[in-house]
Amino acid sequence: MFEGTSLRRVMEEKMVEPSRRTMFLGGTAWAFAVLGPSKVRAQGSERASLPIPSELRADAARTIKLNARTDTMRFLGGRDTATYGINGPYLGPALRLRRGETVTVQVTNNVPENITMHWHGLIVPGAADGGPHQAIAPGKWWKTELSIDQPAATLWFHPHYYPSTAQQVIKGLAGLLIVDDEETDRLPMPSRWGVDDIPLIIQDRRFTADGQFFDRMNVIAVTNGYVGDTVLVNGAHYPEAHTARGWIRLRILNGSNARSYRLGSSDERSLYVIGSDGGLLERPVELKRLLIHVGERFEVLVDARNGRAFDIVTLPVTQDIMRLPPFDSPLPLVTIRPDAADGTGQLPSSLAALPVLPQQLPTVSQEIVMNMFRDMQGMMPLKQAGLAAMVQSGKTDPEVVARVVDLIVKDPALSEADQLSSNGVNGKPFSIVRIDFSAARNQDLHWRISEGSDLMLHPVHIHGCQFRIVSQEGKPPEPERAGWKDTAPISKGGVSEILVRFSHAANRDDPYMAHCHILEHEDSGMMAQFVV
Ligand code: C2O
Ligand code: CU
Ligand code: CU
């Protein structure tokens, strides 16, 4: 199953000597032996099977009903974790909507706090968008009409109540929203839900000693974002999926609060990226490593015609704090066992026609700058704890790790006033009563997204549109980010330039949002609102 050379390649990438970790082959798949206190819980002999969210289509009355509610779940053995879920105990169903249809969605709030429900990536007017202005009080419901007019894509939904989005997503409020259309139906791709068309919602979590989701908005969180030590895929820890033997389509959502993943397969089989946030690419992009930031989605085909099991793994990323164990080594997220009946899906050589970008771009009509006002305060203690030096040395030092984890877990929460003034856009922390800018409707607009002096990663998301990245740090975007996008990453002082068009209105009462999708940044001011 596992080949020594590819293992070596994987291990070398992270500069940790292979002997530090033991690999073993369990059954037909292999797994990493895991070290460290946080991973002991992962050592159960029984593997969970990958939960597949049920598909939910509009009923005969063209209505979809969502119910946000409380529950408990057992994620890692004995303890009940208090959760939120939508029509279930954790996460939500996969909404399936077709281009051309109009549905009424009714969201009932049965959790004990205000929520909203936002359709991330769906092109709908501000009043239907479910942003921070469309609060649903506990016990109440919100109804909106969604007219679907955009290409087939894997989108998602989650609450957007300011400033508690991070906390509500941690508890479990999120789900997939899949748009289908005829062009995509015509392609001979794997499309049997849960058989060869497999959703993967990737989220990192940390648990408290009594088994609850860890969540604390301290200065470490508002600067670095949420740092989990366990990955859940569709709400299960390192689950396995039995799939068709054939081409498998993975619809990957990075539904984490802050963590980026560098995905690969355990046996170095290629990932063929076929779609980005807002729909199919022109043609598949073959990759060994796929970097996915929070809020982003990629659809990927993998060749499992040989029937052999493999893992989707994540490899260390560049942010120091995100390399704490177990993310300092290749970490398996989910096992795919292609041992069911043969699949018939194929990898098409061409996928979709995308509009050609104009040679001459309009002049920049909007600058959007992400600001961090407490980045020094958040970074200094990490430096003092020895984090940067440890990452540079390439050797994980348990004492440094313990000091950093202490900061993450024990540093006191900020007061709400301090939290809300920690980050900003264009120099100002978010204010729900201030409209920050306006955008012309039905016009190609050239926007420039950048950051202040902080050099941190910010996956910047814009409501009400699917845009194209025209340049990233002055260069064309990676081919997997050259299609429809609603989230553009910037880091290391970089700049993303986008071409965007808004086809709907968003007025002062229901403006659109532009924000960093690191939810701890969003909830601490790194969001702006605009009208169209
Ligand atoms: Cu996925 Cu403004 O959000
Ligand atoms: Cu959104
Ligand atoms: Cu950010």
Side-chain angles (χ1 to χ4, degrees):
M1 160 79 5
F2 185 83
E3 285 163 51
T5 47
S6 55
L7 167 62
R8 214 166 302 123
R9 207 173 328 131
V10 168
M11 298 308 293
E12 276 162 11
E13 286 190 17
K14 44 161 291 283
M15 303 175 299
V16 174
E17 60 284 22
S19 56
R20 265 199 66 245
R21 304 264 157 169
T22 320
M23 307 290 169
F24 62 87
L25 303 177
T28 56
W30 59 277
F32 291 94
V34 280
L35 305 173
S38 65
K39 302 301 312 246
V40 174
R41 294 170 297 200
Q43 288 297 304
S45 50
E46 277 156 53
R47 301 275 306 276
S49 43
L50 176 75
I52 302 292
S54 56
E55 296 170 284
L56 182 59
R57 295 182 164 82
D59 63 16
R62 312 306 310 148
T63 299
I64 288 180
K65 289 198 170 115
L66 299 180
N67 175 24
R69 59 180 190 71
T70 63
D71 212 320
T72 62
M73 281 268 288
R74 290 197 173 178
F75 293 97
L76 299 171
R79 307 261 191 180
D80 283 334
T81 305
T83 57
Y84 288 174
I86 300 150
N87 300 4
Y90 183 77
L91 298 176
L95 309 188
R96 288 208 86 133
L97 301 173
R98 281 195 82 77
R99 183 171 202 167
E101 81 175 332
T102 297
V103 302
T104 302
V105 186
Q106 178 172 0
V107 183
T108 304
N109 179 7
N110 280 310
V111 306
E113 58 181 310
N114 284 355
I115 63 168
T116 78
M117 206 51 79
H118 165 61
W119 325 106
H120 178 131
L122 200 65
I123 304 173
V124 292
D129 192 47
H133 294 258
Q134 285 130 14
I136 318 169
K140 300 280 195 267
W141 49 264
W142 173 67
K143 234 187 209 182
T144 193
E145 220 168 64
L146 302 177
S147 290
I148 311 305
D149 185 20
Q150 66 191 89
T154 300
L155 315 178
W156 63 304
F157 60 97
H158 60 77
H160 218 301
Y161 189 72
Y162 191 77
S164 27
T165 299
Q167 172 260 119
Q168 294 176 356
V169 172
I170 290 170
K171 289 210 179 87
L173 294 185
L176 291 170
L177 189 166
I178 294 173
V179 173
D180 295 296
D181 70 10
E182 262 148 48
E183 271 112 276
T184 306
D185 286 353
R186 252 182 256 128
L187 292 168
M189 293 198 291
S191 53
R192 286 175 300 154
W193 189 246
V195 176
D196 56 14
D197 185 348
I198 313 288
L200 299 177
I201 304 171
I202 305 176
Q203 302 174 302
D204 68 323
R205 292 289 183 270
R206 178 181 294 274
F207 291 87
T208 61
D210 62 349
Q212 303 310 304
F213 285 131
F214 168 77
D215 165 30
R216 180 175 291 196
M217 280 294 242
N218 54 24
V219 74
I220 306 293
V222 299
T223 49
N224 297 278
Y226 191 87
V227 183
D229 62 1
T230 304
V231 179
L232 303 178
V233 182
N234 301 351
H237 177 253
Y238 189 29
E240 49 185 358
H242 292 273
T243 70
R245 174 186 176 124
W247 283 95
I248 309 292
R249 177 187 198 161
L250 304 175
R251 296 181 191 256
I252 306 173
L253 160 65
N254 183 349
S256 305
N257 282 35
R259 179 179 297 280
S260 302
Y261 300 88
R262 204 150 66 93
L263 302 175
S265 64
S266 55
D267 57 4
E268 294 293 337
R269 76 181 72 192
S270 295
L271 307 176
Y272 295 88
V273 183
I274 56 163
S276 58
D277 300 340
L280 294 177
L281 301 174
E282 283 184 315
R283 62 189 67 83
V285 175
E286 181 182 359
L287 296 176
K288 295 292 182 197
R289 301 282 176 267
L290 172 61
L291 186 61
I292 182 169
H293 303 293
V294 289
E296 287 189 315
R297 289 85 61 209
F298 284 110
E299 288 188 36
V300 166
L301 292 197
V302 282
D303 185 356
R305 287 174 295 182
N306 67 11
R308 281 200 233 130
F310 62 99
D311 281 352
I312 296 294
V313 304
T314 187
L315 295 138
V317 294
T318 52
Q319 301 100 302
D320 289 350
I321 201 167
M322 296 304 180
R323 299 175 63 120
L324 290 177
F327 298 97
D328 53 340
S329 308
L331 179 73
L333 305 182
V334 54
T335 301
I336 308 287
R337 294 183 189 275
D339 52 10
D342 284 1
T344 53
Q346 289 163 29
L347 174 70
S349 54
S350 90
L351 298 162
L354 296 179
V356 182
L357 297 176
Q359 284 292 323
Q360 189 74 46
L361 294 173
T363 53
V364 174
S365 58
Q366 190 62 50
E367 294 268 359
I368 305 179
V369 184
M370 304 294 123
N371 307 114
M372 300 190 76
F373 306 124
R374 269 183 239 287
D375 51 320
M376 280 302 141
Q377 214 183 315
M379 301 315 282
M380 274 318 285
L382 300 177
K383 193 158 185 233
Q384 281 157 4
L387 179 63
M390 178 185 89
V391 168
Q392 246 159 43
S393 79
K395 277 193 82 174
T396 301
D397 175 346
E399 278 173 31
V400 174
V401 172
R403 284 200 293 269
V404 175
V405 169
D406 252 25
L407 288 167
I408 294 169
V409 173
K410 297 195 183 138
D411 213 50
L414 295 174
S415 69
E416 189 169 81
D418 282 348
Q419 176 186 324
L420 301 187
S421 59
S422 289
N423 293 305
V425 173
N426 292 351
K428 293 179 205 143
F430 179 72
S431 163
I432 199 152
V433 297
R434 182 191 69 232
I435 299 296
D436 294 285
F437 54 90
S438 67
R441 192 169 163 186
N442 292 326
Q443 254 182 55
D444 285 339
L445 304 173
H446 180 187
W447 285 9
R448 198 167 172 279
I449 304 167
S450 62
E451 61 189 334
S453 54
D454 57 88
L455 308 184
M456 304 248 310
L457 167 74
H458 304 291
V460 179
H461 168 57
I462 299 169
H463 289 211
C465 63
Q466 287 291 336
F467 55 74
R468 303 284 294 282
I469 300 178
V470 293
S471 74
Q472 245 173 220
E473 271 126 78
K475 291 178 294 208
E478 310 98 312
E480 68 273 21
R481 285 188 176 77
W484 294 115
K485 293 284 295 165
D486 55 48
T487 304
I490 51 167
S491 64
K492 301 200 189 79
V495 176
S496 270
E497 300 200 30
I498 64 168
L499 193 66
V500 59
R501 173 186 276 262
F502 296 94
S503 45
H504 295 289
N507 61 32
R508 300 188 70 86
D509 294 330
D510 304 294
Y512 286 139
M513 302 293 136
H515 61 93
C516 176
H517 219 286
I518 291 181
L519 298 181
E520 289 74 22
H521 287 177
E522 173 185 331
D523 278 347
S524 57
M526 205 180 286
M527 178 155 69
Q529 46 186 11
F530 64 100
V531 294
V532 176

